C-alpha cells in the first residue's frame, strides 16, 4: 500500500523507523500495529530492523531507501542490536518502557504541528544516555506497556500523556551528561574518542564502565544489572572516570580492592577480592572484554602468588612474580611455619608480618629469587658443622661457621642461623685448594695441631686463608676441614704475628730462645711484659728484640763458615778475636746476646 502524500510526514533528524511509523499511524488515526498490518509490514520485523520491513515502510511512505540507515536498530546474533555501525546489547536499549525528554516534547508540541509533530530520536532508546544533550535534563521513563497499545507506539503514548497531563516537566532538573554518555554519542556520530574504552566494541565498553563503577561505588559483590537507572548512570560515570587513566586507573582500583579485602576479612582469594568483575571475566568468553581481562590478569599475576602451572582467567602463568609463604614452602621443602620463620630470619619478610596469615604475606619472587634458591639447600648450625666435617669439635663449630657467614640478618642468635650450602662449599674449597701434594711427615691433623699450640681451629683456618700458613697437606683418613694437615712450627710464627699478647712459652717457641733465657730477659725488664701467671708478651716487643739482638747460637747458624769441621769452639774464638762483648750481663740474660749491628760490622753479611 502506498500512502497518499497528505498522510506522509517529514522524517526528523535521528528518528527511528518505528517512531516514524507510530507518528504516521497517529496521523491516519490508527494504532502502530494496525498501520503495520495495512502496509503488510510485520511489526516484529520492523522492531528488529529487518531490511525488507524497513524498505517496505520507505516505499509505502514514498521515502528513499536509505532514510533510516543510521537510525535503525538491527537485531544481531548474541542478543545484540546494531545501530550506526555500533553494537549494543539488548539490556542497553529501552525495550519495555518509553523514555522521553519532557523539555524536547514541550518544544516539539509548541511548534503548532499537532501531536504527531512530537518525535523520538534514536538516543532516547539508549539507556546509558540518561541526559538530553539539548536541555541537559534527565530523560524520564513515564510510559509503561499496557494492554491497549504496543509499548513502542510512541505517538499514541504521547497523545495519552498530553491528555492526562503526565509528562512531568516540573519534576526535572538540570543534570550534566556523564563522560560515558559523551563517549556513546561521539561513537554514534563516528567521532574518534581517545579513551581506554575505545579498545572495545561499544556494548562491551558500556558494560565495562558500569561494571567498574558499580564495584567502586557499591562493592565488588554488587551486580550492576540489579541497579536502577539512576544508579547505573552514576556507576557508568564513575567507571568512565576511572578508565580515563587507562590501565593505571584500573590497577589502582584493583589494588584498593585488595587492601580493603585483606583488612576486612583476612582473605585474599580472587572471588572475594575482585567479586563480580572476576566472575564475569572468567565466565564470559567474548573477546570484546579482552582488554579488561588482560589488565586484571596482569594485575593478579604481578600482585598475587601465582606461578607456572597455575591458570588465571584462561591462560597459564609462565613466570612467577609474587611468592607467599604458602607457595614458597613446597619449593623449600619445609613446613609453612618453618618457611615463615626462616624467611623472616633472612630478611625476605618483615617482622611486622609475623602475625599475619601465611597466604597473605607476599614478596617479590624475582627480587628474592636468589635468596629462595640459596635457602632451599640451606643448613642449620649443627647440620652445617657436620657438612664441613666438624663432628666432634663442638666448641669450634660456631667460630668456623662465623667465617662462612650465615644468611640471617641478626647474627646474635646462634641456634636460628642458617647457612647456604654453596657458601659452605666455597669456604671448604678455599681451604682445601691451598693444600699441596707431598710427604706428610711432620704434619698433623688440624684439630690435633691446634690443640698442641692452644689455639682454635678457626684461627688456624684464618691463617691459611690469609696466607700466613702456606705449607698444607690433606689427610685421606679424614673428611672436610678435619682433613687439613699443618705443622705446629708453622703455626707459632703466625700466632706471634697476629696476637697482641702471647704467653712466655709461645714467645720462646716463636723466637727460638730458650725458656730460661727469655724468662731472665723478662724478669730483668729487658723485654717488656705484663701479668704474673701467665706472663704475657707483645709480639712487637719480641720483633724489636730479635731485630736488634741475636744469641751466640744465632751467630753460629748464620756464620757457619767460621766454624771448622772438628773445632766447635771456633765461633767462640772468632767472637773473642773480633772483640765482641755481650749486650747484657750474662747473669741477667742467662745467655750471651750480641747486638746485630756489631756482629754485622765484625763479620760482614752472613754467607748464603
Amino acid at each position: 500500500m502506498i500512502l497518499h502524500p497528505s498522510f506522509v510526514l517529514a522524517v526528523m533528524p535521528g528518528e527511528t523507523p518505528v517512531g516514524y511509523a507510530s507518528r504516521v499511524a497517529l496521523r491516519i488515526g490508527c494504532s502502530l500495529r494496525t498501520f503495520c498490518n495495512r502496509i503488510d509490514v510485520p511489526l516484529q520485523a520492523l522492531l528488529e530492523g529487518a531490511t525488507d520491513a524497513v524498505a517496505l515502510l520507505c516505499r509505502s511512505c514514498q521515502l528513499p531507501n536509505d532514510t533510516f540507515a543510521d537510525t535503525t536498530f538491527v537485531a544481531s546474533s548474541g542478543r545484540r542490536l546494531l545501530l550506526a555501525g555500533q553494537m549494543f546489547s539488548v539490556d542497553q536499549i529501552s525495550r519495555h518502557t518509553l523514555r522521553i525528554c519532557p523539555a524536547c516534547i514541550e518544544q516539539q508540541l509548541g511548534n503548532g504541528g499537532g501531536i504527531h509533530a512530537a518525535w523520538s530520536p534514536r538516543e532516547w532508546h539508549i539507556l546509558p544516555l540518561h541526559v538530553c544533550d539539548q536541555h541537559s535534563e534527565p530523560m524520564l521513563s513515564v510510559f509503561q506497556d499496557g494492554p491497549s497499545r504496543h509499548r513502542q507506539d510512541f505517538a499514541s503514548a504521547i497523545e495519552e500523556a498530553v491528555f492526562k497531563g503526565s509528562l512531568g516537566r516540573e519534576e526535572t532538573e538540570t543534570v550534566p551528561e556523564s563522560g560515558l554518555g559523551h563517549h556513546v554519542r561521539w561513537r554514534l556520530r563516528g567521532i574518534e574518542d581517545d579513551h581506554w574504552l575505545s579498545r572495545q566494541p561499544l556494548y562491551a565498553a558500556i558494560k565495562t564502565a558500569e561494571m567498574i563503577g558499580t564495584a567502586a561505588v557499591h562493592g565488588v559483590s554488587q551486580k550492576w544489572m540489579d541497579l536502577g537507572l539512576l544508579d547505573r548512570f552514576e556507576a557508568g560515570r564513575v567507571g568512565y572516570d576511572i578508565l580515563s587513566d587507562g590501565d593505571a586507573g584500573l590497577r589502582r582500583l584493583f589494588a584498593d580492592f585488595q587492601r580493603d579485602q585483606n583488612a576486612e576479612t583476612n582473605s585474599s582469594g580472587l572471588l572475594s577480592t575482585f567479586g563480580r568483575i572476576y566472575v564475569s571475566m572468567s565466565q564470559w568468553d567474548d573477546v570484546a572484554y579482552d582488554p579488561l581481562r588482560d589488565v586484571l590478569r596482569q594485575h593478579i599475576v604481578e600482585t598475587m602468588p601465582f606461578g607456572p602451572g597455575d591458570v588465571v582467567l584462561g591462560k597459564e602463568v609462565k613466570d612467577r612474580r609474587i611468592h607467599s609463604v604458602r607457595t614458597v614452602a613446597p619449593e623449600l621443602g619445609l613446613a609453612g611455619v618453618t618457611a615463615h620463620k626462616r624467611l623472616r630470619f633472612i630478611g625476605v619478610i618483615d617482622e611486622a608480618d609475623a602475625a599475619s596469615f601465611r597466604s597473605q604475606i607476599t614478596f617479590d619472587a624475582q627480587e628474592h629469587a636468589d635468596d629462595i634458591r640459596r635457602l632451599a639447600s640451606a643448613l642449620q648450625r649443627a647440620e652445617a658443622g657436620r657438612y664441613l666435617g666438624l663432628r666432634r669439635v663442638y666448641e669450634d663449630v660456631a667460630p668456623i661457621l662465623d667465617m662462612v657467614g650465615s644468611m640471617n640478618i641478626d647474627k646474635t642468635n646462634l641456634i636460628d642461623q642458617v647457612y647456604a650450602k654453596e657458601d659452605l662449599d666455597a669456604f671448604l674449597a678455599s681451604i682445601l685448594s691451598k693444600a699441596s701434594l707431598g710427604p706428610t711427615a711432620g704434619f698433623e691433623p688440624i684439630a690435633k695441631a691446634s690443640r698442641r699450640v692452644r689455639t682454635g681451629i678457626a684461627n688456624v683456618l684464618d691463617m691459611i686463608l690469609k696466607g700466613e700458613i702456606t705449607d698444607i697437606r690433606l689427610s685421606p683418613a679424614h673428611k672436610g676441614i678435619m682433613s687439613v694437615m699443618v705443622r705446629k712450627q708453622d703455626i707459632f710464627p703466625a700466632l706471634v704475628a697476629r696476637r697482641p699478647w702471647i704467653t712466655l712459652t709461645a714467645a720462646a717457641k716463636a723466637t727460638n730462645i730458650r725458656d730460661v733465657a727469655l724468662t731472665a730477659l723478662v724478669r730483668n725488664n729487658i723485654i717488656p711484659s705484663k701479668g704474673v701467671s701467665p706472663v704475657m708478651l707483645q709480639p712487637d716487643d719480641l720483633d724489636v728484640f730479635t731485630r736488634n739482638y741475636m744469641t751466640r747460637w744465632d751467630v753460629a747458624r748464620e756464620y757457619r763458615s767460621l766454624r771448622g769441621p772438628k773445632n766447635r769452639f771456633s765461633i767462640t774464638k772468632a767472637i773473642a778475636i773480633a772483640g765482641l762483648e755481650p749486650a747484657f750481663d750474662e747473669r741477667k740474660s742467662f745467655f750471651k746476646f750480641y747486638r746485630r749491628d756489631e756482629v754485622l760490622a765484625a763479620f760482614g753479611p752472613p754467607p748464603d
Side-chain angles (χ1 to χ4, degrees):
M1 183 180 83
I2 305 299
L3 294 181
H4 189 274
S6 61
F7 294 111
V8 176
L9 300 174
V11 179
M12 305 306 294
E15 188 172 19
T16 64
V18 177
Y20 178 77
S22 177
R23 290 202 300 131
V24 174
L26 181 65
R27 178 66 176 269
I28 296 175
C30 62
S31 66
L32 173 61
R33 190 183 301 275
T34 301
F35 172 70
C36 288
N37 290 336
R38 290 181 179 178
I39 63 174
D40 297 327
V41 174
L43 178 56
Q44 186 61 33
L46 188 63
L47 291 171
E48 294 177 355
T51 303
D52 295 341
V54 176
L56 188 55
L57 173 65
C58 292
R59 186 166 61 252
S60 299
C61 297
Q62 304 178 48
L63 300 174
N65 288 334
D66 60 349
T67 301
F68 302 104
D70 292 333
T71 61
T72 302
F73 290 91
V74 181
S76 182
S77 60
R79 292 176 55 81
R80 297 194 180 102
L81 300 171
L82 181 65
L83 173 66
Q86 300 294 334
M87 195 72 73
F88 294 86
S89 60
V90 293
D91 59 281
Q92 295 165 352
I93 303 300
S94 176
R95 299 165 59 238
H96 302 291
T97 62
L98 289 175
R99 301 168 70 235
I100 67 167
C101 169
C104 288
I105 295 296
E106 182 178 330
Q107 182 178 351
Q108 293 165 2
L109 295 178
N111 294 330
I115 296 297
H116 51 74
W119 56 278
S120 62
R122 61 184 182 180
E123 287 78 8
W124 288 8
H125 300 272
I126 303 174
L127 292 177
L129 300 180
H130 181 69
V131 178
C132 174
D133 60 339
Q134 294 186 8
H135 301 96
S136 298
E137 293 186 2
M139 285 180 279
L140 303 179
S141 301
V142 293
F143 308 124
Q144 303 296 330
D145 186 19
S148 60
R149 66 175 186 277
H150 194 275
R151 57 179 174 267
Q152 296 296 333
D153 194 351
F154 173 78
S156 177
I158 289 293
E159 182 181 38
E160 181 178 346
V162 171
F163 177 76
K164 294 180 178 179
S166 58
L167 287 180
R169 177 77 171 90
E170 67 280 2
E171 300 177 3
T172 61
E173 59 181 10
T174 301
V175 176
E177 180 63 280
S178 67
L180 179 60
H182 289 304
H183 180 79
V184 173
R185 295 183 192 277
W186 290 334
R187 292 183 67 167
L188 286 175
R189 297 168 185 168
I191 301 175
E192 293 293 334
D193 183 13
D194 186 16
H195 192 272
W196 189 92
L197 290 175
S198 298
R199 306 178 185 180
Q200 300 175 285
L202 188 53
Y203 75 91
I206 295 172
K207 281 192 177 182
T208 297
E210 292 179 348
M211 188 188 332
I212 295 299
T214 300
V217 176
H218 301 282
V220 296
S221 60
Q222 175 64 51
K223 293 182 179 180
W224 60 95
M225 291 299 298
D226 294 342
L227 299 177
L229 288 178
L230 290 179
D231 289 334
R232 288 182 67 176
F233 169 76
E234 178 64 17
R237 182 188 65 80
V238 173
Y240 182 89
D241 292 343
I242 292 173
L243 293 167
S244 294
D245 291 336
D247 292 356
L250 275 174
R251 295 290 296 270
R252 284 195 298 269
L253 179 66
F254 295 155
D256 291 341
F257 291 160
Q258 289 174 306
R259 283 192 296 269
D260 295 343
Q261 189 66 19
N262 290 339
E264 293 178 4
T265 63
N266 290 324
S267 175
S268 57
L270 294 176
L271 182 59
S272 59
T273 302
F274 302 107
R276 303 304 306 181
I277 299 177
Y278 174 76
V279 171
S280 300
M281 293 301 98
S282 60
Q283 293 179 352
W284 296 349
D285 57 359
D286 190 347
V287 296
Y289 296 96
D290 280 353
L292 175 59
R293 188 179 293 111
D294 291 342
V295 175
L296 179 57
R297 182 189 299 110
Q298 181 183 6
H299 182 82
I300 290 173
V301 171
E302 292 182 359
T303 61
M304 301 184 76
F306 290 95
D310 295 326
V311 178
V312 177
L313 294 178
K315 289 187 178 181
E316 184 175 353
V317 179
K318 296 182 178 180
D319 300 315
R320 180 179 291 279
R321 304 289 186 85
I322 298 295
H323 251 315
S324 70
V325 176
R326 180 182 59 82
T327 58
V328 79
E331 292 188 18
L332 298 177
L334 301 172
V337 175
T338 306
H340 185 193
K341 184 178 179 181
R342 292 194 180 181
L343 289 171
R344 185 160 47 86
F345 286 160
I346 67 175
V348 173
I349 60 178
D350 296 332
E351 291 285 343
D353 295 331
S356 303
F357 289 88
R358 288 191 291 274
S359 61
Q360 293 180 355
I361 303 175
T362 59
F363 54 91
D364 192 312
Q366 297 179 350
E367 178 182 350
H368 296 286
D370 189 59
D371 294 327
I372 299 304
R373 179 186 58 80
R374 287 159 52 83
L375 189 60
S377 60
L379 303 176
Q380 289 186 296
R381 177 171 171 260
E383 297 171 332
R386 289 192 291 270
Y387 187 79
L388 292 177
L390 306 173
R391 298 194 176 188
R392 293 187 175 89
V393 196
Y394 298 106
E395 66 276 8
D396 285 323
V397 170
I400 293 176
L401 291 179
D402 286 342
M403 297 174 66
V404 177
S406 70
M407 297 179 64
N408 296 50
I409 300 299
D410 182 7
K411 310 289 186 182
T412 59
N413 192 346
L414 295 180
I415 296 178
D416 294 328
Q417 303 298 306
V418 290
Y419 302 85
K421 187 174 290 186
E422 62 185 60
D423 292 343
L424 297 172
D425 291 335
F427 175 76
L428 196 58
S430 67
I431 298 294
L432 301 182
S433 63
K434 297 182 180 296
S436 58
L437 299 176
T440 59
F443 288 83
E444 297 175 318
I446 190 171
K448 182 177 180 180
S450 64
R451 285 195 301 269
R452 294 189 65 179
V453 298
R454 298 182 181 181
T455 189
I457 296 177
N459 287 339
V460 179
L461 293 176
D462 190 53
M463 296 174 192
I464 294 174
L465 290 175
K466 293 181 178 178
E468 299 170 11
I469 299 177
T470 58
D471 203 359
I472 306 166
R473 301 290 187 271
L474 293 180
S475 170
H478 298 80
K479 296 175 61 178
I481 294 296
M482 293 296 100
S483 66
V484 176
M485 302 181 71
V486 292
R487 294 179 300 191
K488 67 175 184 177
Q489 57 263 36
D490 294 334
I491 301 177
F492 281 120
L495 284 174
V496 171
R498 61 167 45 196
R499 288 181 178 176
W501 296 92
I502 60 175
T503 63
L504 195 67
T505 301
K509 293 179 179 180
T511 57
N512 290 321
I513 301 176
R514 294 176 60 185
D515 288 355
V516 290
L518 187 59
T519 301
L521 292 172
V522 170
R523 287 178 178 175
N524 289 281
N525 295 323
I526 297 175
I527 297 178
S529 66
K530 75 170 184 177
V532 176
S533 181
V535 176
M536 305 297 290
L537 307 178
Q538 274 193 321
D540 290 344
D541 295 333
L542 292 173
D543 185 57
V544 171
F545 182 83
T546 55
R547 282 200 311 267
N548 294 328
Y549 303 97
M550 56 193 307
T551 65
R552 185 180 62 179
W553 298 112
D554 292 333
V555 177
R557 281 193 299 269
E558 293 184 15
Y559 295 91
R560 292 184 300 273
S561 61
L562 297 177
R563 187 167 51 172
K566 295 182 179 180
N567 189 356
R568 60 177 180 175
F569 302 106
S570 62
I571 187 63
T572 304
K573 293 180 181 180
I575 291 175
I577 294 172
L580 294 177
E581 295 292 334
F584 311 111
D585 187 347
E586 193 172 350
R587 291 174 298 179
K588 293 184 178 181
S589 62
F590 198 77
F591 207 71
K592 290 183 178 180
F593 289 87
Y594 300 93
R595 293 189 61 87
R596 283 186 179 273
D597 53 353
E598 294 178 359
V599 173
L600 183 63
F603 301 130
D608 295 335

